Amino acid sequence: MRLSYPSNVKIIQLPCSGRVDILHLLKAIEDGADGVYVAGCLEGECHFLTGNLKAKKKVQYVKKILEEIGLEPERVEMFNLSSGQGPRFAEIATEMVERIKKLGPSPVKLEKAA
Amino acid sequence: MTDLKSGSNLEKVLKAGHFAFTGECGPPKGSNVEHLKKKAAPLKGVVDAVNVTDNQTAVVRMSSWAASTILLQEGVEPNFQMVCRDRNRLAMQSDILGVYAMGIRNMLCLSGDHQRFGNHPEAKNVYDLDSMQLISMVKKMRDEGQFLNGEEIDVPPKLFIGAASNPFADPFEFRVHRLAKKINAGADFIQTQCIYNMDKFREFMKMAVDMGLHEKCYILAGVTPMKSVGMAQYMAKMVPGMDVPESLVKRLRGAGKGKVAEEGIKFSLEQIEEFKEMEGLAGIHLMAIEWEHRVPEIAERAGVLPRPKV
Amino acid sequence: MIVADRKPLKELLEMVEDCDKVLILGCKGCVTVCNVGGSKEVGILALTLKIARKKEGRLLEVSEKTLERQCDPEYVDEVKDIVDGYDAVISMACGVGPQFLSERYPEKRILPAVDTTFFGGAVQHGIWEERCAGCGACGIHHFGGLCPIARCAKSLLNGPCGGSADGKCEISKDVDCIWDMIVTKKMKEGRLDELLMLRPPKVWTTARDGGPRKSVREELVQ
């Protein structure tokens, strides 16, 4: 199965979405990422029971922070899919890229600050 | 009548064994004396005393003591209310001395609604004393002639001490004990919360009578006529500690357009008839909220006029 | 523990408006336990402030450090060599921390990052509730081990007010009526009579009302 997904999505692999930390998401934004999303297992199917649910809450929290400081919360998102859903993975990547394109580049850029 | 505690009209009426009838009048949201006089006028001669509320529902109004004084000048006996929310023990005691000096003879001691409900929810509340301790303090000032700290008072305030009782709040089993506690603390008379659930109130009064509380204190049953279905629903849902049975709301709704207020008054009149016969009750406290002008009519129809001259 | 909530970011950004370089100081005491001012939260706040300022096109340099405690001079001392390098120090400790810092470093601008709320504990993960008002004269043994000073909205000492309904306080359905709990407990114990005696007015001299308080243990003072 050779599915193509947008090349501007950089994948960081983790053993479980539960390992994702608020700090990771914020760090990505701070480093200038235009968007960041977490792809976790389907709800109810976490190998570690609640890893994906915890990730969802952390994503929610980061959305709140971004909103508070005047950034679009849509730049951060949580998606759920199973490891067998290759096409869905590509679909999500495309969907997220489309969304971010509509929002435009993140205003958090070093060059602007320099 | 040297054994009177205060010599107030209300005390004399109750002591003489008459079925008392008290009213209520909320001071204006301003210094509008004419408005206050207008509200109080229909109550003159129709009730034995008029409760003057103290920043009721935590909404700022003309001070209870000032409004009480104005009523007094108008020939209406006030029942000065004081809540624990807005004053510490210093302010309380000085106000108590003040009202007595101005000729006020009845005082109702209350905890007060929390300021969260009022128009200044940002306020810092006081609650230095609770209502029980306030009752006890007024009694100490009157009977022992002493301040809370034990210092002697130069001309102690001789006040007829009232307290409130809500038979419908929880925990229900404790309510009658709380009433007993207020009586032990020094309450001479009790005015209850507005009664709508008659079954529950009968049960409450039976417990009170069984404990002999009616022999130690005058208990006045609280009555507030419903003016509309909306008011009944508001009271049922929004007013803490209020018990409005669904059957009453249904009855009011069934009265039809333009007849709800009359149905509300009819319900109150039925209640009053039953209260007159109910063991342990010494009177009625009619809280006709913003309906003071209807009180003479209600009193007439309730057969409580003319009021006794004592 | 002492419980706190993080201040709104808008308020914090306004505080550091004219700063270019700040030090965020966490505390490993209570605020770490209630997840508001430990090293993790220091990291989150640092990143957040940096993001917000980058967005404005003005970089904010942020350093992070978390002290053992901010309510002991010896730990507050640990930053003595570095504070000078910052326009301001943001303390994520309870209200005590920024004051110890202000007193130790009088020349430095010290900013509070949290709103200190109450003495309480976690009733479940992520939810804290108030338990103690620090009145200076504990009397909970009179009330079934539950405190009406801290937990009754009116601090009543002689039973529930007329607003108690279904075990909840009149101010909110989310607040338990502590008097309902006290009465229920005493009834179960068959000791209701203890609640029927008049409890006298509270002596507030030991509380904040008596002025700022001090605790001296002679055996420890050197």
Side-chain angles (χ1 to χ4, degrees), chain B residues 89 111-114 116-117 124-125 127-133 136 148 166 168-171 173-175 177-178 181 184-185 193 240-241, chain C residues 153-167 170-172 179-180 183-184 187 192 195-204:
Chain B
R89 60 191 79 181
S111 302
D113 296 312
H114 194 272
R116 167 155 331 179
F117 303 108
K124 184 179 197 298
N125 64 31
Y127 293 113
D128 180 17
L129 304 188
D130 61 27
S131 59
M132 208 71 74
Q133 294 157 350
S136 165
L148 194 57
N166 184 358
F168 309 105
D170 291 319
E173 317 80 65
F174 189 70
R175 286 294 146 185
H177 292 295
R178 183 159 165 82
K181 199 168 168 176
N184 288 337
Q193 173 70 289
Chain C
K154 302 176 184 173
S155 296
L156 303 182
L157 294 179
N158 282 287
C161 75
S164 175
D166 299 321
E170 71 173 23
I171 67 159
S172 166
W179 268 106
D180 193 284
V183 168
T184 305
M187 276 182 169
L192 189 65
L195 294 182
L196 304 184
M197 289 174 300
L198 179 74
R199 292 228 58 83
K202 170 102 179 152
V203 176
W204 293 107

Side-chain angles (χ1 to χ4, degrees), chain C:
Chain C
M1 81 188 98
I2 295 173
V3 180
D5 291 315
R6 198 203 63 222
K7 278 186 172 292
L9 293 167
K10 190 170 172 285
E11 200 179 330
L12 291 170
L13 284 166
E14 279 167 14
M15 284 186 203
V16 298
E17 178 65 36
D18 58 353
C19 297
D20 296 317
K21 201 175 171 193
V22 297
L23 169 64
I24 304 184
L25 272 188
C27 174
K28 289 185 192 166
C30 309
V31 290
T32 289
V33 186
C34 70
N35 304 68
V36 73
S39 60
K40 175 72 168 285
E41 293 76 27
V42 168
I44 293 172
L45 181 61
L47 279 170
T48 306
L49 294 181
K50 282 198 265 189
I51 292 171
R53 283 288 288 268
K54 249 189 202 177
K55 181 174 143 275
E56 305 301 322
R58 274 196 321 127
L59 280 183
L60 179 69
E61 209 179 304
V62 184
S63 303
E64 306 171 23
K65 194 170 172 64
T66 300
L67 301 178
E68 201 58 36
R69 278 196 297 280
Q70 290 189 23
C71 51
D72 262 320
E74 59 185 287
Y75 299 118
V76 170
D77 244 20
E78 285 175 5
V79 291
K80 65 175 186 295
D81 297 329
I82 60 169
V83 287
D84 276 346
Y86 300 95
D87 300 325
V89 178
I90 302 175
S91 168
M92 295 201 83
C94 72
V96 178
Q99 296 192 58
F100 266 57
L101 287 162
S102 293
E103 287 162 41
R104 173 66 181 81
Y105 307 109
E107 310 292 318
K108 192 54 49 191
R109 264 175 74 197
I110 309 289
L111 309 170
V114 304
D115 294 319
T116 307
T117 46
F118 51 78
F119 304 147
V123 288
Q124 72 175 72
H125 190 60
I127 301 178
W128 291 265
E129 276 183 6
E130 183 163 18
R131 287 292 181 270
C132 175
C135 72
C138 191
I140 62 172
H141 51 295
H142 297 301
F143 310 106
L146 303 165
C147 180
I149 301 279
R151 300 175 70 185
C152 166
K154 302 176 184 173
S155 296
L156 303 182
L157 294 179
N158 282 287
C161 75
S164 175
D166 299 321
K168 298 294 173 188
C169 173
E170 71 173 23
I171 67 159
S172 166
K173 293 265 175 284
D174 294 331
V175 177
D176 290 326
C177 171
I178 194 64
W179 268 106
D180 193 284
M181 286 166 73
I182 296 169
V183 168
T184 305
K185 189 172 175 187
K186 288 281 184 185
M187 276 182 169
K188 270 189 194 149
E189 287 176 352
R191 303 169 78 152
L192 189 65
D193 54 311
E194 291 174 8
L195 294 182
L196 304 184
M197 289 174 300
L198 179 74
R199 292 228 58 83
K202 170 102 179 152
V203 176
W204 293 107
T205 46
T206 56
R208 235 301 300 173
D209 306 82
R213 292 166 282 176
K214 187 180 236 174
S215 193
V216 180
R217 312 267 171 74
E218 293 295 353
E219 74 279 20
L220 300 173
V221 179
Q222 307 207 332

Side-chain angles (χ1 to χ4, degrees), chain B residues 136-152:
Chain B
S136 165
M137 181 174 78
V138 184
K139 184 178 164 68
K140 180 175 181 168
M141 292 172 80
R142 179 189 70 194
D143 296 349
E144 296 169 40
Q146 284 179 1
F147 288 104
L148 194 57
N149 65 357
E151 279 176 29
E152 197 185 321

Side-chain angles (χ1 to χ4, degrees), chain B:
Chain B
M1 294 255 249
T2 46
D3 53 344
L4 285 171
K5 290 168 173 170
S6 70
S8 78
N9 181 59
L10 179 62
E11 181 183 8
K12 286 191 257 181
V13 166
L14 286 165
K15 201 156 179 39
H18 298 293
F19 196 69
F21 189 61
T22 56
E24 188 156 303
C25 183
K29 275 177 95 169
S31 302
N32 193 335
V33 176
E34 289 317 307
H35 178 70
L36 176 64
K37 286 180 177 173
K38 212 172 139 191
K39 274 175 82 173
L43 300 172
K44 191 174 176 178
V46 172
V47 294
D48 302 317
V50 174
N51 283 36
V52 182
T53 52
D54 182 12
N55 290 339
Q56 192 173 14
T57 62
V59 170
V60 176
R61 291 170 179 277
M62 183 193 287
S63 61
S64 171
W65 72 261
S68 294
T69 309
I70 293 168
L71 257 56
L72 206 57
Q73 289 162 1
E74 292 297 295
V76 175
E77 176 167 290
N79 180 16
F80 163 68
Q81 294 193 185
M82 182 187 275
V83 298
C84 299
R85 179 193 59 231
D86 307 332
R87 299 169 181 79
N88 69 6
R89 60 191 79 181
L90 279 81
M92 283 175 158
Q93 292 177 99
S94 73
D95 277 355
I96 290 164
L97 296 179
V99 297
Y100 181 71
M102 296 304 288
I104 289 158
R105 295 292 177 266
N106 305 305
M107 173 175 171
L108 189 77
C109 307
L110 305 162
S111 302
D113 296 312
H114 194 272
Q115 75 274 10
R116 167 155 331 179
F117 303 108
N119 63 355
H120 289 72
E122 311 83 358
K124 184 179 197 298
N125 64 31
V126 184
Y127 293 113
D128 180 17
L129 304 188
D130 61 27
S131 59
M132 208 71 74
Q133 294 157 350
L134 174 58
I135 294 165
S136 165
M137 181 174 78
V138 184
K139 184 178 164 68
K140 180 175 181 168
M141 292 172 80
R142 179 189 70 194
D143 296 349
E144 296 169 40
Q146 284 179 1
F147 288 104
L148 194 57
N149 65 357
E151 279 176 29
E152 197 185 321
I153 299 174
D154 178 13
V155 184
K158 300 285 183 190
L159 292 162
F160 194 43
I161 305 168
S165 170
N166 184 358
F168 309 105
D170 291 319
F172 179 65
E173 317 80 65
F174 189 70
R175 286 294 146 185
V176 74
H177 292 295
R178 183 159 165 82
L179 171 61
K181 199 168 168 176
K182 285 191 175 179
I183 295 169
N184 288 337
D188 301 309
F189 68 101
I190 297 287
Q191 291 171 322
T192 77
Q193 173 70 289
C194 319
I195 300 155
Y196 296 106
N197 186 337
M198 293 295 280
D199 289 338
K200 206 163 186 180
F201 186 66
R202 286 183 200 109
E203 194 186 335
F204 176 80
M205 278 310 295
K206 191 177 176 307
M207 289 193 278
V209 169
D210 287 346
M211 287 169 71
L213 300 182
H214 63 304
E215 285 159 1
K216 299 179 189 164
C217 180
Y218 304 105
I219 303 172
L220 279 64
V223 174
T224 292
M226 290 289 193
K227 295 195 270 190
S228 64
V229 176
M231 174 179 172
Q233 283 166 334
Y234 176 81
M235 284 203 156
K237 291 200 181 77
M238 304 304 287
V239 182
M242 193 73 75
D243 185 347
V244 183
E246 186 51 39
S247 60
L248 175 59
V249 181
K250 221 178 245 173
R251 176 175 164 180
L252 292 171
R253 199 178 281 127
K257 223 174 171 195
K259 292 175 188 153
V260 178
E262 173 57 24
E263 197 61 33
I265 291 177
K266 269 189 192 158
F267 178 74
S268 296
L269 294 172
E270 290 165 20
Q271 286 184 299
I272 295 172
E273 276 317 298
E274 182 172 346
F275 291 150
K276 282 181 188 169
E277 303 303 321
M278 195 179 283
E279 190 181 4
L281 284 182
I284 299 294
H285 177 48
L286 184 72
M287 293 163 272
I289 303 160
E290 296 304 316
W291 234 18
E292 290 84 357
H293 62 286
R294 299 292 296 267
V295 172
E297 177 203 335
I298 297 168
E300 183 65 48
R301 290 170 67 186
V304 295
L305 293 182
R307 296 309 308 151
K309 297 263 180 274
V310 284

